[in-house]
Amino acid sequence: NAGVMQNPRHLVRRRGQEARLRCSPMKGHSHVYWYRQLPEEGLKFMVYLQKENIIDESGMPKERFSAEFPKEGPSILRIQQVVRGDSAAYFCASSLTGTDEQFFGPGTRLTVL
Amino acid sequence: LAKTTQPISMDSYEGQEVNITCSHNNIATNDYITWYQQFPSQGPRFIIQGYKTKVTNEVASLFIPADRKSSTLSLPRVSLSDTAVYYCLVGDIRSGYSTLTFGKGTMLLVSP
């Protein structure tokens, strides 16, 4: 039973480019969460989605960041016009019911040059 | 969400028992206590969760006193592979969804 998958594992972008991070939840899970971890910091919640719906985006920066979880396919975290401060590890987690254990993926490490 | 306080780092040796204490003075009635483990370059991994008294699984034990203002994660007979960052989180997982708030965690270093 495959776990949460994220790709790419490492992503390098220049300032001003777009970054697209993908997350495939565990089989049967319809609840997806995105977190960001800055160097030497703990994870910070960004957004919580169910299929085709954003439930809570209280942790998302107001500009340049967006997330989706379409009916078919992986969840996408999109960062437009990246800046150096966006360099971080981005983790995706999924759960079965939304109130149970969250299983985390290996993360995508974004580096902005 | 209740704020948590844990030591920044701890050192131990192989075979010893390690106890990591977390303070959460403002824990709410519906909050559960959850511990996660994170290895370098990996996502966090669930260790244990509890509400009160004691919970034990194949990996660890969680001790929660009656006032629930603190909790202690106990790792029996640690090995080198237990070197990781351990996060204590509190929150109400029954509010329809759960959004975990991670602090900086405790960096546990296990030496030979």
Side-chain angles (χ1 to χ4, degrees):
Chain A
N1 191 11
V4 177
M5 300 175 68
Q6 291 187 247
N7 67 82
R9 292 294 309 276
H10 300 274
L11 182 62
V12 179
R13 286 287 179 266
R14 296 188 181 280
R15 281 179 297 171
Q17 292 184 319
E18 178 180 285
R20 294 173 68 90
L21 288 61
R22 295 174 181 77
C23 169
S24 296
M26 287 183 68
K27 186 177 181 180
H29 287 193
S30 60
H31 299 259
V32 166
Y33 312 79
W34 285 94
Y35 295 82
R36 177 167 63 176
Q37 185 173 33
L38 296 171
E40 310 300 323
E41 298 287 331
L43 281 75
K44 304 297 182 187
F45 166 77
M46 298 181 73
V47 62
Y48 163 50
L49 310 100
Q50 280 185 273
K51 280 291 187 180
E52 301 184 271
N53 293 305
I54 296 175
I55 307 302
D56 182 352
E57 55 181 349
S58 58
M60 287 275 273
K62 293 291 186 285
E63 298 177 348
R64 303 187 297 108
F65 285 72
S66 63
E68 63 176 9
F69 189 17
K71 186 176 181 180
E72 300 292 337
S75 175
I76 306 289
L77 179 67
R78 182 185 180 199
I79 311 172
Q80 296 178 287
Q81 300 175 329
V82 296
V83 300
R84 287 201 175 131
D86 296 332
S87 294
Y90 292 82
F91 291 95
C92 165
S94 74
S95 71
L96 184 62
T97 68
T99 59
D100 60 333
E101 178 185 345
Q102 293 184 23
F103 294 85
F104 284 81
T108 294
R109 276 146 190 85
L110 172 65
T111 301
V112 179
L113 302 177
Chain B
L1 295 174
K3 180 180 177 181
T4 60
T5 302
Q6 12 175 168
I8 294 174
S9 64
M10 293 184 68
D11 296 319
S12 183
Y13 293 96
E14 282 189 291
Q16 290 189 330
E17 178 184 78
V18 171
N19 296 307
I20 306 174
T21 297
C22 177
S23 298
H24 29 79
N25 292 317
N26 298 321
I27 190 168
T29 302
N30 293 331
D31 285 344
Y32 280 69
I33 301 158
T34 309
W35 286 80
Y36 274 78
Q37 174 192 56
Q38 185 179 25
F39 297 113
S41 301
Q42 294 187 27
R45 184 178 71 130
F46 173 90
I47 300 176
I48 198 166
Q49 184 179 76
Y51 184 78
K52 62 180 179 180
T53 62
K54 177 183 175 182
V55 179
T56 298
N57 61 23
E58 64 277 6
V59 177
S61 294
L62 178 60
F63 298 92
I64 306 169
D67 65 6
R68 304 201 325 122
K69 293 183 182 299
S70 67
S71 59
T72 299
L73 175 71
S74 181
L75 304 172
R77 297 182 297 280
V78 294
S79 63
L80 298 177
S81 62
D82 291 318
T83 292
V85 178
Y86 292 83
Y87 295 98
C88 164
L89 300 89
V90 294
D92 183 1
I93 65 171
R94 301 170 301 170
S95 63
Y97 63 92
S98 60
T99 54
L100 304 177
T101 299
F102 290 78
K104 294 187 177 183
T106 297
M107 175 64 219
L108 172 65
L109 176 61
V110 180
S111 301

